[in-house]
Amino acid sequence: MAVAAQKHKRPLSSARENEIGQGWVANVRRRIRRWALKRRRAQSAFVLDRNNLFIFPTGSGFSLLLVMLLMWLLGTNYDNNLILALAFLLGSILITCILHTHASLAGLKVELMQIQEGFVGDELQVNLRLSSQGKRDYPDVRLFWAGQFPKAVHIEEQEPLRLSLSFTAPRRGPVSPPLLCVESRYPLGLLRCWTWLRFDAEALVYPKPVDAGPLPASASSEGSGDSEPVLLEGAEDFSGFHSYRDGESLRHISWKHYAQGKGLFVKDFQAYADEQLWIDWDALPGMDREARLQRLCDWLLHLAEGVQPFGMRLPGMEIAPNIGPEHRLHCLRCLASFEAAQLAPIDVGYYLEGGV
């Protein structure tokens, strides 16, 4: 029965074997990155030297080693000095490449200058500064986040290079960039010299806005001073038309314009009053924390486009009504950092694989 079972056992296809092989290689790389994540201390600037650089043969380097071994066996077996000389010549070239490949990164300084803020799911820009600490050029330097494609640069002596890389924001709150790999295969591609850098800087990530509909009428309150008319839900004074946007109520569509072939337009209704607008946490009952923050962010972005001052109320926090880019940024940062200490930590796989 065991023989019969072996006869009916299907052999692995070549695609399946490749998948298993790739999975094994990916697992090894993941373990190396995990080791680097624990070993590397987070900093804002790094100078690459023998204490943080690694070097290992590439696929081409291993192929050359195999050729050298075969040539040495042939040369010793047939007592052929020419083959032995050629094997030793290739060995000397490989040893020389070790020195040049290591020197292609040694002395390079990598500094993190700034991380751009953004919304969840956005590509956040990281500004880096690369400079030479010695009198040499760095002709083939590649930088990339873990799991992403490399970006090749050339760094000249006494001419610092500014470079921008981007990574995807995984969640709201303070977020650090993934592990940054800096590598070089100069000059012949036989060896790979690399290091993993872990930066200690963080960027604030705002909640991803989700359509919350129009601001409720309860969000307005009497204020002082002159103010522009404000669009409030439930107002009854007609003020004009605007082009239809996805998700708007169909009951306010001007079907007359549509019948005339002019397109879809929506009627605007405004309440003319001296009012102050408030983005209020309590205006969205029955939702969890993140769902509320996403909808509050949507209201904030819409109000920031207008000229009406607005304020924001969060549990234990109240931001006075104001207007302008600084007020918008302050409100967004408050939403991003709201109860940030209670956020779940980012999975270590994000730093190892460079994405969500």
Side-chain angles (χ1 to χ4, degrees):
M1 294 180 64
V3 176
Q6 291 180 0
K7 289 183 178 180
H8 292 286
K9 188 177 180 179
R10 294 182 178 178
L12 290 174
S13 62
S14 58
R16 178 58 177 169
E17 291 177 351
N18 292 335
E19 182 179 349
I20 293 175
Q22 293 175 359
W24 179 83
V25 173
N27 187 44
V28 172
R29 290 176 177 173
R30 193 179 298 110
R31 288 179 179 273
I32 294 175
R33 293 171 188 169
R34 189 180 297 272
W35 172 82
L37 181 63
K38 294 179 179 179
R39 187 175 183 269
R40 288 286 176 261
R41 185 168 61 90
Q43 299 175 208
S44 59
F46 296 86
V47 177
L48 307 187
D49 54 25
R50 62 182 181 180
N51 295 320
N52 52 26
L53 287 176
F54 309 95
I55 190 167
F56 203 71
T58 62
S60 301
F62 277 113
S63 299
L64 180 62
L65 286 172
L66 179 60
V67 171
M68 290 167 49
L69 177 61
L70 293 176
M71 293 178 67
W72 179 79
L73 291 176
L74 289 174
T76 54
N77 187 38
Y78 293 101
D79 197 16
N80 191 317
N81 292 331
L82 182 60
I83 296 179
L84 289 174
L86 182 57
F88 294 148
L89 176 62
L90 293 178
S92 63
I93 291 176
L94 184 61
I95 293 175
T96 305
C97 282
I98 295 177
L99 302 176
H100 283 279
T101 304
H102 183 271
S104 66
L105 287 183
L108 179 65
K109 186 176 183 179
V110 182
E111 300 175 84
L112 188 147
M113 307 303 295
Q114 184 185 17
I115 305 180
Q116 180 187 31
E117 299 179 355
F119 299 91
V120 176
D122 286 355
E123 294 291 324
L124 305 186
Q125 296 291 329
V126 180
N127 297 326
L128 302 174
R129 183 178 184 269
L130 309 178
S131 58
S132 172
Q133 298 299 292
K135 296 182 179 181
R136 68 166 71 118
D137 294 346
Y138 297 90
D140 182 26
V141 179
R142 304 179 184 182
L143 301 95
F144 58 94
W145 305 116
Q148 298 185 4
F149 292 103
K151 185 173 185 179
V153 296
H154 178 90
I155 304 167
E156 298 182 358
E157 178 188 350
Q158 305 300 328
E159 292 186 12
L161 175 68
R162 293 186 178 272
L163 177 68
S164 293
L165 299 176
S166 61
F167 69 97
T168 305
R171 64 149 171 81
R172 177 182 68 86
V175 174
S176 297
L179 285 174
L180 177 67
C181 181
V182 184
E183 72 169 22
S184 177
R185 305 190 183 195
Y186 180 84
L188 300 179
L190 300 176
L191 297 134
R192 175 178 180 250
C193 184
W194 81 97
T195 187
W196 291 104
L197 305 181
R198 181 183 178 190
F199 294 109
D200 58 359
E202 292 181 334
L204 269 181
V205 180
Y206 317 135
K208 184 177 182 178
V210 173
D211 186 15
L215 197 67
S218 59
S220 64
S221 60
E222 293 184 0
S224 59
D226 298 333
S227 60
E228 296 291 335
V230 184
L231 174 60
L232 298 176
E233 184 181 19
E236 298 180 354
D237 295 330
F238 173 74
S239 63
F241 301 94
H242 71 268
S243 299
Y244 174 78
R245 295 187 293 265
D246 291 340
E248 290 189 301
S249 175
L250 298 179
R251 64 175 181 170
H252 290 160
I253 290 180
S254 175
W255 298 109
K256 182 177 179 180
H257 286 77
Y258 182 74
Q260 294 175 355
K262 298 180 179 180
L264 282 176
F265 288 88
V266 179
K267 300 177 183 178
D268 283 338
F269 295 90
Q270 292 180 336
Y272 295 87
D274 187 16
E275 297 167 327
Q276 292 177 344
L277 297 179
W278 288 93
I279 302 173
D280 199 338
W281 175 274
D282 295 328
L284 298 168
M287 296 185 181
D288 60 25
R289 178 183 60 198
E290 298 305 319
R292 290 196 192 195
L293 292 176
Q294 290 173 345
R295 286 156 179 79
L296 293 178
C297 185
D298 180 66
W299 283 342
L300 190 158
L301 296 178
H302 281 87
L303 292 179
E305 295 177 355
V307 295
Q308 180 74 12
F310 64 91
M312 186 169 67
R313 293 190 181 105
L314 297 175
M317 180 189 308
E318 182 174 306
I319 301 175
N322 206 334
I323 199 170
E326 294 183 359
H327 179 62
R328 174 184 181 273
L329 181 60
H330 177 57
C331 292
L332 284 174
R333 287 178 173 175
C334 289
L335 291 179
S337 57
F338 179 71
E339 296 184 353
Q342 301 181 18
L343 292 173
I346 300 176
D347 186 79
V348 68
Y350 163 76
Y351 296 102
L352 301 179
E353 302 300 332
V356 295

